[in-house]
Amino acid sequence: MMLFTKWNFVMLVIGIITYLIDFAADFCMAVKYFYDGHYIGGAITVAFMLLSTIIVQIFSYTWFKDDCENDKLEVLSWVLLAHIFQAGIFTRYWLALKYGYRAAVYQQSRATGSDDNAKDIQMSQQKVANDAVADLSMLRLFDSFLDSTPQLILQLYILMEHGKMNLFQNASIVILFCSISWSTVHYQMSLRNSLSDKLAIRVGCPMFMYLFYKLFTLTSWAMSVVLLGLVNAYCLLALLILLWILGTSWTWNQNTEFCHSKGMEYLYRVLVGVILVFTFFNIKGQRTKIPMLVYYLGRVFVTVSILCLCWYLKPLVTQQVYFPLVSISAVLGLGLGLICLIFYYGVFHPSMHCTVKRGVDATDGQTREKSSRIRNFVMP
């Protein structure tokens, strides 16, 4: 388990700011769509925002309930009320800030010398803070693929379809690309930090290699999907539904055990199916070399097929000024992303630097439920 440092606390504060910026940007974009007469785009934007926040609140409250100790059950009614008013994520940020401050500032300043009791308190605070940030990172990941990614594709589609570009829309697209990519990296780093027997992703080349892998592959897929939408919107819808069915079916076949209740487990599997439409997702914390290989071979096949469809079904799309840039971004982004993926798992993955066998004994005092939930996501 990595220490929760002052830098982690600063990153947590930045996370709150970026969450508010993302929400404000989505709201402003929805208003702009309605103002410009793009009522369908505005309605879709609002629908994705509502769907995302409702599902995130459901998972957040369920985790609060699962982790709640018997002597704190009376607090659940207030937690439930906060989630009903869609403030659950802010409740989690407030708790993460409180625990993070204690871990990074208060406890570190008081745990000194050979005072074993002080060190035990410090480690306990470190674990609580890391667990709180891990849950937040997972919720932000869910929000990214339920809201931010569909919003990105919608904005790119409207931009290419109508050919009207403005500074706000361009800035929003860039922010969405970076936000989605970073959420996947932060989720991996946070989950590994919260486990005592997992090596952390080091800041530097490993972190940036994983970030570029996600950024390039997501950029390629977003461009490919938008091109297919320009060729035929019904083909795009059929492809996304097919990929969601395949992703959900694979998740179901893995017999995941992420949630305590069957209803939440089914919702989780459906949600993972959505994530798999856009990026590979390790659903059981196991080595998935073959599934990942199949996944990205399929991604290469679909990307090439979409470009071919543009030439044969709707040549008019290939004559647009944006087509060379978009098609090159789709091919080059996928190639660079796969190269970064190979380098990350071949050179920079934490297990490559492991010299001691990890995970033989469980850490004393570790919460069983929370550890089990987190371990369902993290590769060895």
Side-chain angles (χ1 to χ4, degrees):
M1 181 177 64
M2 292 288 292
L3 291 178
F4 192 92
T5 64
K6 294 180 180 180
W7 171 248
N8 296 128
F9 183 80
V10 171
M11 292 299 296
L12 186 60
V13 175
I14 295 175
I16 300 175
I17 297 173
T18 57
Y19 179 79
L20 293 173
I21 291 175
D22 288 344
F23 178 81
D26 289 343
F27 180 80
C28 292
M29 189 57 65
V31 172
K32 188 177 187 305
Y33 283 148
F34 284 117
Y35 180 80
D36 293 340
H38 300 307
Y39 299 111
I40 295 179
I44 293 175
T45 299
V46 173
F48 280 129
M49 290 176 63
L50 291 176
L51 176 65
S52 172
T53 188
I54 290 173
I55 291 181
V56 166
Q57 301 301 321
I58 291 174
F59 272 102
S60 177
Y61 175 72
T62 301
W63 296 348
F64 266 122
K65 186 177 179 180
D66 291 343
D67 299 337
C68 186
E69 300 175 358
N70 292 331
D71 58 343
K72 298 180 180 179
L73 292 178
E74 67 276 3
V75 181
L76 277 179
S77 57
W78 293 102
V79 173
L80 176 60
L81 186 63
H83 284 75
I84 290 175
F85 286 97
Q86 307 303 302
I89 195 76
F90 296 106
T91 303
R92 285 192 171 273
Y93 267 120
W94 179 77
L95 291 174
L97 285 172
K98 182 176 73 171
Y99 299 146
Y101 177 80
R102 290 177 180 175
V105 180
Y106 182 75
Q107 289 297 340
Q108 286 188 19
S109 66
R110 291 178 177 267
T112 58
S114 59
D115 190 340
D116 292 336
N117 184 54
K119 289 182 178 180
D120 290 341
I121 294 175
Q122 180 190 20
M123 293 305 298
S124 176
Q125 293 290 347
Q126 292 285 333
K127 175 172 170 46
V128 171
N130 279 318
D131 286 345
V133 174
D135 281 347
L136 263 175
S137 69
M138 294 165 72
L139 293 173
R140 288 295 301 271
L141 183 76
F142 293 165
D143 178 73
S144 292
F145 289 99
L146 285 172
D147 180 26
S148 299
T149 305
Q151 300 282 14
L152 172 63
I153 293 174
L154 176 64
Q155 289 190 37
L156 287 171
Y157 177 83
I158 292 177
L159 177 63
M160 296 182 193
E161 177 71 16
H162 297 277
K164 296 180 180 179
M165 302 178 65
N166 58 72
L167 182 60
F168 176 78
Q169 192 169 20
N170 291 338
S172 177
I173 290 173
V174 172
I175 291 172
L176 284 172
F177 269 123
C178 297
S179 175
I180 296 166
S181 302
W182 175 250
S183 70
T184 61
V185 178
H186 187 253
Y187 127 84
Q188 275 285 350
M189 295 179 69
S190 298
L191 296 189
R192 298 190 75 94
N193 286 349
S194 65
L195 296 173
S196 59
D197 61 341
K198 297 295 180 182
L199 294 174
I201 298 177
R202 294 181 299 175
V203 176
C205 287
M207 183 189 75
F208 283 108
M209 195 61 64
Y210 193 89
L211 174 64
F212 289 144
Y213 146 57
K214 288 297 184 180
L215 178 61
F216 288 138
T217 54
L218 285 169
T219 299
S220 169
W221 186 235
M223 296 299 182
S224 302
V225 165
V226 172
L227 281 179
L228 182 59
L230 294 172
V231 172
N232 191 300
Y234 295 106
C235 287
L236 170 60
L237 183 61
L239 174 65
L240 296 180
I241 292 176
L242 175 62
L243 293 176
W244 172 74
I245 292 174
L246 291 174
T248 304
S249 300
W250 181 62
T251 306
W252 229 281
N253 187 58
Q254 297 300 304
N255 295 319
T256 59
E257 297 178 351
F258 177 69
C259 302
H260 291 175
S261 67
K262 288 186 178 180
M264 290 302 300
E265 187 66 31
Y266 295 157
L267 179 61
Y268 162 71
R269 293 174 182 179
V270 170
L271 176 56
V272 170
V274 174
I275 296 175
L276 287 170
V277 171
F278 302 104
T279 190
F280 185 80
F281 191 68
N282 189 352
I283 60 176
K284 294 196 73 173
Q286 299 173 350
R287 298 189 183 277
T288 50
K289 184 182 296 183
I290 301 245
M292 184 179 289
L293 178 62
V294 172
Y295 181 89
Y296 282 109
L297 284 177
R299 177 67 62 82
V300 171
F301 173 77
V302 173
T303 300
V304 173
S305 299
I306 289 174
L307 293 176
C308 292
L309 287 175
C310 290
W311 286 99
Y312 289 103
L313 292 185
K314 201 169 183 180
L316 184 62
V317 172
T318 64
Q319 299 173 10
Q320 301 298 320
V321 66
Y322 57 75
F323 182 78
L325 178 61
V326 173
S327 58
I328 291 174
S329 298
V331 175
L332 188 61
L334 182 57
L336 291 175
L338 293 179
I339 291 173
C340 292
L341 173 64
I342 293 171
F343 268 95
Y344 173 75
Y345 283 104
V347 179
F348 297 113
H349 191 271
S351 62
M352 301 298 295
H353 307 282
C354 181
T355 57
V356 181
K357 186 175 181 180
R358 312 281 293 189
V360 177
D361 298 317
T363 302
D364 291 338
Q366 193 170 25
T367 304
R368 180 170 307 196
E369 291 79 11
K370 178 154 293 194
S371 175
S372 175
R373 178 169 73 232
I374 292 173
R375 287 181 187 281
N376 288 327
F377 287 87
V378 183
M379 287 185 62

